[in-house]
Amino acid sequence: MAPARASPRDEAQARKLFERAARAGNPRGVSNLAALGGGAASADPARARELLSKAAETNAEAQYQLGMMLAEGNGGDQGRRRGARTVRKAAAQNHPGALERMGAFAQEGRGGPKDSDAAKAYYQRAAALGDRGRQEGAGAAALSLRDQGQARQRGDEFVLLRRPTINP
């Protein structure tokens, strides 16, 4: 069975509701509005970034979305360190996507020095939240960050299922 697609009418209605919530100052309304059409793929990423900046004061999803936009330079100047700091705020609230991205940032040295131990810890925290993809990423990160022999020496047991995708 093919996945259901929203009709243009559904999307228009959702946009109206999210806009009303955003105008009322609801951070989830703002982050949902940004995700619906104000996110990285938006026709107006600068406006999405502006909306997310306010919502990011209190909302982990908005912090994650804004951090990714900052890190990638969508909607304004690129700020890898600022993006990583913003994503880190969402990760501190156990946002699974933010935890995974912080693992990738630490693994690649984006927004700071490379840190394989921190990357592994972030991936494991994300995996502990029950996301199978992040569980696979935790094992792959551990094996790609350290020689397999060193991992075995420390007693780590991981199965390499796939290497996590990391945006440069």
Side-chain angles (χ1 to χ4, degrees):
M1 176 183 254
R5 291 191 171 260
S7 72
R9 183 172 179 259
D10 294 339
E11 189 173 318
Q13 180 64 24
R15 182 177 303 282
K16 278 185 190 177
L17 294 171
F18 293 148
E19 285 174 349
R20 187 175 356 158
R23 279 192 305 273
N26 181 303
R28 288 195 66 135
V30 172
S31 63
N32 286 331
L33 180 60
L36 183 62
S42 168
D44 189 1
R47 175 70 177 137
R49 200 161 148 171
E50 180 185 324
L51 288 170
L52 288 169
S53 291
K54 178 129 178 80
E57 294 171 8
T58 59
N59 182 272
E61 178 62 26
Q63 290 165 351
Y64 171 65
Q65 289 181 30
L66 177 62
M68 293 307 298
M69 290 185 81
L70 290 167
E72 300 299 326
N74 293 327
D77 292 335
Q78 185 175 31
R80 287 184 177 210
R81 287 189 186 277
R82 185 170 167 225
R85 278 195 311 268
T86 306
V87 172
R88 189 176 294 113
K89 288 179 186 177
Q93 297 171 65
N94 287 326
H95 184 285
L99 288 164
E100 187 274 333
R101 285 291 86 199
M102 286 306 301
F105 288 170
Q107 184 175 359
E108 293 297 313
R110 290 182 63 182
K114 287 185 180 185
D115 186 339
S116 59
D117 291 331
K120 180 180 168 186
Y122 279 119
Y123 285 133
Q124 287 176 331
R125 280 180 55 203
L129 295 173
D131 186 318
R132 176 106 174 121
R134 289 181 179 89
Q135 290 170 353
E136 294 166 359
L143 290 176
S144 66
L145 295 170
R146 300 210 183 276
D147 176 81
Q148 287 185 27
Q150 287 178 325
R152 282 192 202 104
Q153 237 176 7
R154 289 194 326 268
D156 293 345
E157 294 181 20
F158 294 102
V159 176
L160 181 59
L161 299 172
R162 70 173 174 81
R163 182 177 178 88
T165 303
I166 299 171
N167 298 327

